[in-house]
Each structure stands twice: as C-alpha cells, then as structure tokens.
Amino acid sequence: MDIDWKSLPFGYIKTDYNVRTYFRDGKWGSLELSSSEHVDIHIAATSLHYGQEAFEGMKAFMGKDGKIRLFRWEENAKRMQMSARGILMAEVPIEVFKKAILKVVRMNKRFVPPYGSGASLYIRPVLFGTGAEVGVKPADEYLFMVFVTPVGPYFKEGFRPVKMLLTKEFDRAAPQGTGRFKVGGNYAASLTSMKKAHEKGFANVLFLDSKEKKYIDECGPANFFGIKNNTYITPKSDSILPSITNMSLITLAEDMGLKTERRPVEESELGTFEEVGACGTAAVISPIGQIVDDETGKEFNYGTEPGPISTKLYNKLIAIQTGDEEDKFGWVEVVE
Ligand code: PLP
Ligand code: COI
C-alpha cells in the first residue's frame, strides 16, 4: 500500500471492505461484508427521486499505543436515528450501528493512518430508501451501509485560519425544514453557494438564518463559534446540524474555565469576537481569519494565526481523540 499519510486530502480512497444491512419486511437483516464499491438499487428507489437519505461522519484515530479509538460514536448513532425520523426512514438500532462501524473499522485496520500523521480514518454510515415508489411517500425498504476512507484535513489549510464568505444570496435550510437533520438534500442546497465562495477564493460559506438573514447559522459543513471575554459562544438555531464536535468543545471550554453560551448570534456581533472558528468532525477546528460580507464587502478580520483559545481547544480535543490524554468524559471507545 502506497499512501502518503501526511499529505492525504479529505477525499475517497478505496479500502478493502464495507458493510451493509437491509431493512425489509419491517426488520433489519444480517450484517453483510462486501468488497464491492457499488450498490444495485431499484430505478424507482425513493432515495434517488425524493431524497430519502441520511448520512453520518465519524473518525477513528490511531494512538501512540497502537490502539484504534472511536470518538463519541453513540452520538452519531442517535443523530442518525433523529435524521431517519425527520424524513420518515426506518431507524437503525444503536446496536446495529455499533456492530457495523466496529466491523468495518476492524476489517480495514491497515487503512487507519499512523499516529502523528495528522490523518484519520473517516467513517461514513449512510441510510437510504431502496424501496420503489412513484408517488411521494416513504419507502418500505432501506439500506444501511458503512464505508471508511483515510482522510487528511477538510480545509486544505489544516489548522490555519481560513476565509469565509458571508452570503445572503442563498439559503441552506428553511427554519422549520430539514437543516437539523444530516440529510443529503441540505448538502445539495449548499453547492451553488459553496461554488461561489470557492471561485472567490474562500474556503466556504457562512450561512445566515434564512428567515430574517440576521443571525449566524453555520459554516458550510461545520458549526460556528466565537470567543470573547473568556466566553465560548455558539449559535442556537433550529436549522443547523447539532454538531457533536461543538457539543464536545462546549464541555472542554467549561472544563478550561471558560463561560459558554448557546444563543442566537447576530451578524452585527461578528466584529466583537476575539476569535472565531468552524468546528466539525471533518473540519475539527478551523480557525477563521477573515469573514467577508458578499453584499457589502465589509470585512471582519481575526488575524493570520490561530487564536490562543482555539489552539488550546484544538489540542485538547485531538489529545483525547488519539488517547494522548485521559478520556475523563468517557468519549472514546477502543476498537478491540
Ligand atoms: N454542520 C454540518 C452542516 C455538517 O455537515 C457537520 C458535519 O458533520 C457539522 C456541522 C459538524 O458536526 P459534527 O461535529 O457532528 O461532525
Ligand atoms: C463531517 O464533518 O463529518 C461531515 O459530514 C462533513 C462533510 C459533509 C464532508
């Protein structure tokens, strides 16, 4: 195997196996191991026509001790159940989810990037309607599948400040829509704005709430946080994904003696933050160096280096995930 672990992008690399289980006749079948990169589905499957699809994203890390660790997988399992309920799909039981991710990681151990490479094994569970319908209604058959792929940083900058384009031109999710579920349609809805941001030299888009265009929602595929006056502040919104990384950073921030606030964050507050960043499984923490308002050209600048609190949070999170630091919150599961 010839992988340059240190310069891995966030992309797809074929591994040895994936796992699959079908929901048919009202129950989940056995877990199948597959070495095929393809699935064969009905031409009228609801996932293809009506977007009945949800996914998750997690990482496995190689420790200094040679042990592979998963980070808070149970939260991802619960969130996938919430996404399934949100678009009327069959829920994957927690135990089925666990069995699937453990199996796929064990079977692809040789693809877990080495300790210290900065890379990890990305785990991608996906659930979608395979049953045929032509009218708009939920399928009665589903496939739950998990593949893995070794990845490097999501933003090519790694732990370096990125630029975000604040846009009012596009919405990612409606206030009472599917923004809080991890369903494919939200990502389709973000593609045009992301393309625009990339063309203008930005790492991604900072979305505002789509009703009032007044409050910060999230940053492409990551939540937003800001730091000021020793306080970690992150938006409360019904149209953003409840990020497991963000939830963890809140705990870590409190543990470090910071105050934390989850509340609506007005765009007008952007100029008052000492540090801002994007956080998520793929993004980890990406410090934001600059935000530019696409409409007015107004710039918010946060410096060319990661801020001290973001750096501390980043180091702490990575240390727990890789097993360098004691797992005092019980977030880590060793893959035996
Ligand atoms: N927001 C969106 C839209 C995402 O796709 C993700 C990635 O999963 C996140 C936030 C971060 O969530 P998490 O920290 O659970 O990965
Ligand atoms: C993740 O952080 O796991 C994500 O899902 C981001 C992604 C859509 C690439």
Side-chain angles (χ1 to χ4, degrees), residues 68-210:
I68 300 169
R69 289 173 173 81
L70 299 176
F71 184 71
R72 306 195 79 173
W73 66 266
E74 205 162 353
E75 295 299 331
N76 294 85
K78 287 193 277 186
R79 191 169 65 188
M80 182 164 245
Q81 292 188 329
M82 185 182 78
S83 297
R85 286 194 295 275
I87 58 168
L88 301 186
M89 297 195 289
E91 287 179 40
V92 177
I94 305 284
E95 277 311 306
V96 173
F97 188 97
K98 179 179 186 181
K99 207 172 147 190
I101 58 169
L102 287 175
K103 177 96 182 168
V104 73
V105 172
R106 283 189 194 117
M107 296 304 293
N108 290 291
K109 268 187 182 161
R110 69 189 187 103
F111 292 96
V112 183
Y115 173 81
S117 62
S120 54
L121 188 73
Y122 187 68
I123 306 169
R124 172 53 66 86
V126 55
L127 168 68
F128 53 97
T130 49
E133 296 293 347
V134 178
V136 179
K137 57 177 156 179
D140 52 14
E141 293 189 358
Y142 294 85
L143 171 57
F144 172 58
M145 196 169 69
V146 190
F147 73 77
V148 293
T149 193
V151 295
Y154 189 73
F155 294 115
K156 65 178 187 325
E157 292 85 349
F159 189 64
R160 301 289 310 161
V162 296
K163 285 165 56 175
M164 291 285 170
L165 183 68
L166 187 150
T167 172
K168 296 189 175 95
E169 192 183 348
F170 302 94
D171 294 320
R172 173 185 170 275
Q176 308 295 323
T178 57
R180 66 191 188 282
F181 308 127
K182 202 162 170 65
V183 298
N186 296 337
Y187 298 81
S190 73
L191 291 175
T192 39
S193 54
M194 221 173 65
K195 178 164 178 267
K196 181 170 179 179
H198 288 164
E199 282 170 357
K200 290 188 156 198
F202 291 84
N204 220 306
V205 175
L206 183 57
F207 291 105
L208 293 180
D209 79 282
S210 37

Side-chain angles (χ1 to χ4, degrees), residues 174-243:
Q176 308 295 323
T178 57
R180 66 191 188 282
F181 308 127
K182 202 162 170 65
V183 298
N186 296 337
Y187 298 81
S190 73
L191 291 175
T192 39
S193 54
M194 221 173 65
K195 178 164 178 267
K196 181 170 179 179
H198 288 164
E199 282 170 357
K200 290 188 156 198
F202 291 84
N204 220 306
V205 175
L206 183 57
F207 291 105
L208 293 180
D209 79 282
S210 37
K211 188 174 176 189
E212 295 185 69
K213 305 271 185 183
K214 186 172 162 193
Y215 301 98
I216 307 294
D217 248 359
E218 58 185 333
C219 285
N223 275 184
F224 173 89
F225 67 86
I227 292 164
K228 63 177 173 186
N229 308 326
N230 210 39
T231 310
Y232 178 100
I233 300 160
T234 194
K236 183 173 164 59
S237 161
D238 286 337
S239 53
I240 65 175
L241 192 77
S243 156

